[in-house]
Amino acid sequence: MKKEDFMPQSFNNLNFNKLLDNLPAGVVVHNLDSSIIYANKMALNILGLSWNQMIGKEVTSKNWDFINETGKPLDIEEYPINLITKSQKPLKDLIIGIKINGLNEPKWVLVNGYIDKQNNTDKVIITFTDVTSEYSLPFKDILDKAHDAVIITEASDIEEPYGPKIVFVNDVFAKISGYSKDEAIGKTPRILQGELTNRDTLDRIKQALKNKKAIREVIYNYSKNQEGYWLDVSIFPLSIYRDERITHFVAIQRDISEFKKIEQKYKTDAQQDPLTKLLNRRGFDILSKELANELKTHNEGYSIIVMDIDHFKLINDNYSHSIGDIVLKELSILLKQFVRTRDLAVRLGGEEFALFLPYCDKNDAYEIAERLRKTIEYLCIKANNQNINITISMGIASDPRANNIKKTLDEADKALYKAKNSGRNKAVIFYE
């Protein structure tokens, strides 16, 4: 078969042929049915095939197979010509491997293509550059022996819901996440995110990816069976070209779940009253500040109820300090049952307790205080065959703009002292 027999008439100019044969890129021309009607000299050289082995063959020829970055065969609809003819759009910078019969290693090529509509005969022009020496994953064996999880994604499309697409994960990733390599490849790292994954962290990562910048974050991910775990993640851009165009992102993930458990234990111990297991004053200061900042952004406020056990010194004197501790613990159990999920129950010290109530004005707080006071008034605490009854005095203050926790706490204290000085076993709202 002669080369001229398969070339379009527009290619029969000798100078044009010479130009094509001296291009540094391979050029292949297809009919819309995928059959090959032309290949330049560079295309034949790159693929190691002769003219007769290529020309007249359809894209599904037995002479070669197409594979993705992980070595998995492409589906027919993923072949470059089929991507172009189906979308009717140009194809840009697609990396694929071509396995030639008789060769052990694939050739890796960077593919571009478009439909040429000249002369009323649509042809598909495919160009490709050999990037085998620059693009491969010879480090896969090394990464599979690494102690950290590794994910490699494409950098071409990072937008939700499908990008960035995962092209490689190592064995440690599969072990930590519960997703096999086949399950993860082709998906997006978003499969690891869930309800408790911090949105601000994700936004920072997304911005870094957009800017093609490295970033390091601590993130809470979810395994395939929805178990949460903490990762210290370093993400950096990767280029496989000499011109340093960013083609991929690499994420190195270290499982720090055990460290986080230890950290949380120390944090809890530092912020928790050891007797009652309620927040201590330090925990109250930290968490109430965080809640107040959140409330301020929503133009919302909070209320604080401060309470004292009436005549608690007499309980210690008449029954013993160990009995007094039982009373404190029983009251703490009741407070935990009374509060909502976002409320804070606190032991400020001694027999003084507090409730921090987000999204709650002083009138609602007063109703809560009264229900709590009446419940405690009828509560009988059993301790060492003793029946002990207690009452509490309560002070209430509100901060509608979430501006000043210390001031609100001081105001609640003033209302508490007013309740105690006016007979105890009552709730009083602070007024200017």
Side-chain angles (χ1 to χ4, degrees), residues 314-331:
L314 292 179
I315 295 175
N316 282 332
D317 292 343
N318 294 335
Y319 295 101
S320 78
H321 285 279
S322 61
I323 298 296
D325 286 348
I326 293 173
V327 171
L328 293 174
K329 287 192 283 188
E330 288 295 321
L331 176 59

Side-chain angles (χ1 to χ4, degrees), residues 394-396 410-419 428-430:
M394 312 171 83
I396 302 157
D410 288 343
E411 291 171 350
D413 262 330
K414 290 176 183 178
L416 169 63
Y417 281 107
K418 187 174 181 180
V428 171
I429 300 174
F430 174 83

Side-chain angles (χ1 to χ4, degrees), residues 161-226:
Y162 302 115
K165 188 172 76 172
I166 297 171
V167 298
F168 173 81
V169 296
N170 70 345
D171 289 342
V172 178
F173 169 87
K175 181 178 180 181
I176 292 175
S177 70
Y179 290 96
S180 69
K181 292 183 178 182
D182 286 342
E183 289 174 323
I185 290 170
K187 302 295 195 307
T188 165
R190 291 187 176 89
I191 62 174
L192 305 172
Q193 298 163 12
E195 181 182 0
L196 297 181
T197 306
N198 187 274
R199 189 71 245 176
D200 291 339
T201 301
L202 296 178
D203 289 343
R204 288 193 298 271
I205 291 174
K206 184 175 181 179
Q207 192 59 49
L209 298 186
K210 282 185 175 180
N211 296 333
K212 304 292 195 293
K213 300 293 185 183
I215 187 171
R216 182 175 180 180
E217 291 283 350
V218 172
I219 190 169
Y220 192 74
N221 273 359
Y222 289 83
S223 65
K224 183 180 177 180
N225 61 6
Q226 293 303 297

Side-chain angles (χ1 to χ4, degrees), residues 219-237:
I219 190 169
Y220 192 74
N221 273 359
Y222 289 83
S223 65
K224 183 180 177 180
N225 61 6
Q226 293 303 297
E227 290 183 2
Y229 58 99
W230 287 98
L231 292 172
D232 181 347
V233 182
S234 294
I235 303 173
F236 55 90

Side-chain angles (χ1 to χ4, degrees), residues 2-280:
K2 296 180 180 180
K3 186 174 182 179
E4 290 78 7
D5 294 338
F6 295 92
M7 288 175 54
Q9 188 173 356
S10 59
F11 289 170
N12 284 336
N13 182 289
L14 180 61
N15 290 332
F16 193 56
N17 291 335
K18 187 173 182 180
L19 172 64
L20 288 176
D21 278 342
N22 284 280
L23 284 177
V27 179
V28 174
V29 181
H30 294 266
N31 283 320
L32 292 183
D33 64 2
S34 89
S35 61
I36 298 171
I37 58 175
Y38 175 79
N40 74 342
K41 184 177 179 180
M42 181 58 70
L44 299 176
N45 287 342
I46 289 174
L47 300 177
L49 296 173
S50 68
W51 173 264
N52 289 339
Q53 286 176 305
M54 283 196 71
I55 303 306
K57 302 297 190 298
E58 292 188 358
V59 73
T60 54
S61 168
K62 299 297 184 181
N63 287 340
W64 56 76
D65 290 300
F66 295 109
I67 60 175
N68 64 19
E69 291 121 314
T70 66
K72 185 178 179 180
L74 296 181
D75 293 331
I76 293 177
E77 59 267 23
E78 297 176 303
Y79 287 13
I81 183 173
N82 293 332
L83 291 174
I84 295 170
T85 55
K86 183 178 180 180
S87 69
Q88 294 291 299
K89 295 179 181 179
L91 182 66
K92 184 177 180 182
D93 292 345
L94 173 68
I95 293 176
I96 63 171
I98 304 177
K99 294 191 72 173
I100 309 298
N101 285 349
L103 296 181
N104 293 327
E105 296 297 326
K107 292 288 186 76
W108 292 97
V109 294
L110 176 70
V111 180
N112 290 271
Y114 64 96
I115 297 178
D116 181 26
K117 295 181 177 290
Q118 296 181 20
N119 300 323
N120 297 319
T121 55
D122 292 354
K123 307 295 180 188
V124 180
I125 313 297
I126 303 286
T127 66
F128 55 92
T129 306
D130 187 355
V131 294
T132 303
S133 61
E134 298 168 288
Y135 178 82
S136 61
L137 295 178
F139 46 82
K140 285 196 289 186
D141 289 342
I142 298 173
L143 294 181
D144 275 334
K145 293 178 174 63
H147 295 293
D148 297 329
V150 178
I151 301 178
I152 300 177
T153 70
E154 293 178 347
S156 56
D157 181 10
I158 65 169
E159 296 301 326
E160 297 184 40
Y162 302 115
K165 188 172 76 172
I166 297 171
V167 298
F168 173 81
V169 296
N170 70 345
D171 289 342
V172 178
F173 169 87
K175 181 178 180 181
I176 292 175
S177 70
Y179 290 96
S180 69
K181 292 183 178 182
D182 286 342
E183 289 174 323
I185 290 170
K187 302 295 195 307
T188 165
R190 291 187 176 89
I191 62 174
L192 305 172
Q193 298 163 12
E195 181 182 0
L196 297 181
T197 306
N198 187 274
R199 189 71 245 176
D200 291 339
T201 301
L202 296 178
D203 289 343
R204 288 193 298 271
I205 291 174
K206 184 175 181 179
Q207 192 59 49
L209 298 186
K210 282 185 175 180
N211 296 333
K212 304 292 195 293
K213 300 293 185 183
I215 187 171
R216 182 175 180 180
E217 291 283 350
V218 172
I219 190 169
Y220 192 74
N221 273 359
Y222 289 83
S223 65
K224 183 180 177 180
N225 61 6
Q226 293 303 297
E227 290 183 2
Y229 58 99
W230 287 98
L231 292 172
D232 181 347
V233 182
S234 294
I235 303 173
F236 55 90
L238 179 68
S239 173
I240 65 169
Y241 304 123
R242 293 189 179 94
D243 63 9
E244 297 185 350
R245 278 179 293 147
I246 303 304
T247 58
H248 295 78
F249 291 107
V250 179
I252 310 297
Q253 303 179 335
R254 174 159 295 182
D255 188 348
I256 58 170
S257 299
E258 289 303 316
F259 171 79
K260 276 297 205 178
K261 287 179 183 177
I262 295 171
E263 180 184 64
Q264 185 60 42
K265 181 181 184 304
Y266 282 119
K267 181 179 178 181
T268 300
D269 289 347
Q271 297 180 11
Q272 188 180 79
D273 174 58
L275 176 67
T276 64
K277 306 305 179 185
L278 299 180
L279 286 175
N280 59 19

Side-chain angles (χ1 to χ4, degrees), residues 286-296 342 344 356 358:
I286 294 171
L287 296 182
S288 62
K289 183 178 179 180
E290 291 178 1
L291 280 171
N293 288 337
E294 177 186 323
L295 291 165
K296 188 179 293 187
R342 300 296 300 276
L344 304 180
F356 183 93

